[in-house]
Amino acid sequence: MAKKVLKFGGTSVGTIERIQHVAKIVKKEHDAGNKVIVVVSAMAGKTNELIKFSKKISNDFNKRELDVLLSSGEQVTSALLAGALIEKNIKSKSWLNWQIPILTEGEHSNARIVNMNISKINKFLEEGVAIIPGFQGISKNGEIMTIGRGGSDATAVAIAKLFNADSCEIYTDVDGVYSTDPNKIPLAKKIEKISYDEMLELSTLGAKVMQSSAVQTAMIYDIPLEVKSTFTNRKGTKIFNQQNIDYTKSVTGVAYSKDDAKITLIGVEDKPGVAANIFEPLNQAQINVDMVIQNVSSDQKTTDITFTIKREDLLKTKKILENNKNIVYKNITHNDKVSKISIVGAGMVSTPGVTYKMFRGLADNKINILAISTSEIKLSVIIDEENTLNAVKKLHTIFDLD
Ligand code: ASP
Ligand code: MG
């Protein structure tokens, strides 16, 4: 008998039939003698629909009211699932965030869970299944707060931690974490075991299976996760500490994203303090700079600086650069038709030549590299967007992942 947190994503509870199917999965776990806490997302598309409604009223819809509005999606699915379980003669109850309460800190639409009253629910688990809406909580002033898009994953991990659960299972519409996007690359393979760090890199770099901040929390508190399918019985992917994994390959997965843009400042003065002057106002505006490349100056006076940012920040960034009185340059160019391709693997640390192999592979396929960044377990490059799938496919083969 174990204490289990089961989280069901939007597609898993997307229709009434699916909610009934989820009830069957939950019943099975309950009948096996486990104490079960279920966390649910809103029905697929619901949160987006609610956001659209708010935008019809105002593009700058009141933040407090937006959180009240968006939290309703998960409340609907909580009640429907509890009702479906009761129909199956299982004692079940849903709690709204303020009834528990789930306490959060931080801003509207971007709060984080800091604590929760577990006593009532713990007591209820002796007899029934507890259903908790993901993605929300209340502030210390009692205001309803949401915790960022995809936040039901974070709710599940926080609950697993606070209730000291034995496992945290993330049920979704794919049957695990894949070596790359299985919808685009048919040779993608399911990964059986992956470390928190690798999963974190993959989800930050474009793999959409789990919310990055939820993986981060799981890593900090060493909460083992399993990503599995609501719709098949296949084994999922286990995410845990690196010590539990034997690395036979240098690369575990290839991720890609089209969220970045590249800016180049041409003819910048080459003297101390210039880079600081460029990036200071960007930092103040909370624009996240990812990769930076500065060329050596050929005339000892000027150089070019290229950097990447989120695509959505492009206009804002250009404006800040153009208004920056502390820098001198000849020209600004930008390119938002780029994509970021990353190879991720804890096995890289002990394998020499991974960098060369990646660059050689791209070169042999005539793919130009526009920027590079590395960390201990990942290597990312920016390339032209049109080469995205070709590059991913080739790297997947080169690193023996097909
Ligand atoms: N319903 C929320 C969203 O769509 C939270 C979640 O599904 O995890 O972002
Ligand atoms: Mg989700």
Side-chain angles (χ1 to χ4, degrees):
M1 175 165 141
K3 193 186 281 180
K4 290 189 164 191
V5 175
L6 312 181
K7 181 254 167 179
F8 292 90
T11 38
S12 305
V13 293
T15 62
I16 297 302
E17 292 71 33
R18 287 182 173 186
I19 289 175
Q20 275 160 337
H21 175 68
V22 165
K24 272 191 214 151
I25 297 176
V26 174
K27 176 175 166 23
K28 213 159 141 196
E29 293 288 355
H30 176 77
D31 289 350
N34 297 310
K35 292 184 175 174
V36 184
I37 307 175
V38 182
V39 175
V40 285
S41 286
M43 287 175 153
K46 194 69 203 173
T47 311
N48 287 338
E49 184 189 49
L50 294 170
I51 291 174
K52 250 190 231 149
F53 287 167
S54 75
K55 290 212 158 117
K56 281 192 179 153
I57 289 178
S58 163
N59 253 328
D60 190 25
F61 194 80
N62 182 278
K63 300 240 167 344
R64 175 191 185 275
E65 299 310 326
L66 187 64
D67 275 355
V68 174
L69 178 69
L70 297 192
S71 64
S72 69
E74 275 72 9
Q75 301 183 6
V76 168
T77 45
S78 298
L80 287 171
L81 181 58
L85 285 164
I86 293 166
E87 276 308 299
K88 293 188 183 307
N89 290 321
I90 292 185
K91 195 158 178 198
S92 180
K93 191 171 160 182
S94 66
W95 276 267
L96 299 191
N97 58 59
W98 53 269
Q99 291 176 310
I100 301 173
I102 299 173
L103 286 173
T104 64
E105 275 175 6
E107 306 292 305
H108 275 298
S109 83
N110 197 25
R112 56 186 188 283
I113 295 174
V114 289
N115 210 345
M116 193 178 306
N117 184 346
I118 63 168
S119 56
K120 274 184 278 188
I121 291 176
N122 251 338
K123 194 150 169 258
F124 185 80
L125 291 179
E126 302 289 337
E127 34 183 341
V129 175
I131 319 283
I132 298 178
F135 179 54
Q136 55 200 276
I138 58 168
S139 69
K140 66 174 191 302
N141 302 326
E143 296 292 357
I144 290 183
M145 310 295 280
T146 63
I147 61 170
R149 293 307 304 272
S152 298
D153 287 343
T155 304
V157 172
I159 286 179
K161 175 192 147 213
L162 292 165
F163 283 84
N164 202 9
D166 299 294
S167 71
C168 181
E169 299 173 11
I170 310 290
Y171 280 87
T172 177
D173 52 357
V174 291
D175 58 0
V177 181
Y178 276 73
S179 54
T180 193
D181 182 354
N183 297 317
K184 294 279 162 59
I185 312 282
L187 291 174
K189 268 213 325 237
K190 187 159 69 194
I191 301 168
E192 228 175 277
K193 301 171 182 178
I194 190 169
S195 68
Y196 295 120
D197 326 44
E198 291 173 304
M199 188 64 219
L200 194 55
E201 291 280 14
L202 284 177
S203 51
T204 313
L205 294 167
K208 298 205 171 55
V209 191
M210 260 196 89
Q211 192 206 33
S212 329
S213 60
V215 179
Q216 197 166 21
T217 312
M219 175 161 89
I220 294 170
Y221 296 103
D222 204 0
I223 299 161
L225 305 173
E226 185 169 353
V227 175
K228 49 161 76 166
S229 165
T230 307
F231 309 112
T232 71
N233 278 325
R234 265 174 261 153
K235 253 211 207 137
T237 299
K238 292 208 155 85
I239 309 169
F240 42 38
N241 211 300
Q242 205 170 301
Q243 279 129 14
N244 299 322
I245 303 173
D246 271 340
Y247 287 98
T248 53
K249 288 182 181 168
S250 54
V251 172
T252 304
V254 184
Y256 66 91
S257 69
K258 298 179 178 178
D259 304 330
D260 299 71
K262 177 173 86 87
I263 293 191
T264 301
L265 286 169
I266 298 167
V268 187
E269 286 176 291
D270 190 14
K271 63 173 197 193
V274 170
N277 286 344
I278 293 172
F279 292 115
E280 189 183 348
L282 298 180
N283 178 43
Q284 275 162 5
Q286 299 201 338
I287 288 170
N288 215 343
V289 175
D290 182 15
M291 308 177 180
V292 183
I293 307 170
Q294 181 179 336
N295 295 335
V296 272
S297 69
S298 48
D299 57 2
Q300 312 295 319
K301 289 194 202 84
T302 63
T303 180
D304 300 343
I305 292 184
T306 296
F307 59 92
T308 66
I309 46 166
K310 288 268 158 268
R311 211 177 267 188
E312 66 201 31
D313 290 334
L314 181 59
L315 286 180
K316 197 167 153 197
T317 305
K318 276 194 81 183
K319 217 182 235 158
I320 291 173
L321 291 169
E322 282 157 6
N323 293 334
N324 188 339
K325 301 257 165 4
N326 294 322
I327 52 174
V328 182
Y329 55 86
K330 286 198 199 91
N331 199 2
I332 301 184
T333 62
H334 74 264
N335 183 355
D336 60 358
K337 302 277 178 300
V338 295
S339 63
K340 180 156 70 183
I341 313 288
S342 309
I343 55 173
V344 172
M348 260 182 218
V349 182
S350 53
T351 325
V354 174
T355 313
Y356 164 73
K357 211 164 152 184
M358 180 178 195
F359 295 169
R360 180 82 267 158
L362 294 170
D364 287 348
N365 289 286
K366 305 211 164 29
I367 295 166
N368 195 23
I369 299 172
L370 307 173
I372 302 163
S373 78
T374 65
S375 81
E376 221 181 15
I377 63 160
K378 76 124 204 257
L379 234 158
S380 300
V381 296
I382 295 283
I383 61 170
D384 282 326
E385 193 179 286
E386 61 185 21
N387 292 325
T388 309
L389 287 183
N390 189 20
V392 172
K393 216 188 284 170
K394 294 288 160 35
L395 293 172
H396 200 264
T397 305
I398 290 168
F399 287 103
D400 214 13
L401 297 172
D402 289 354

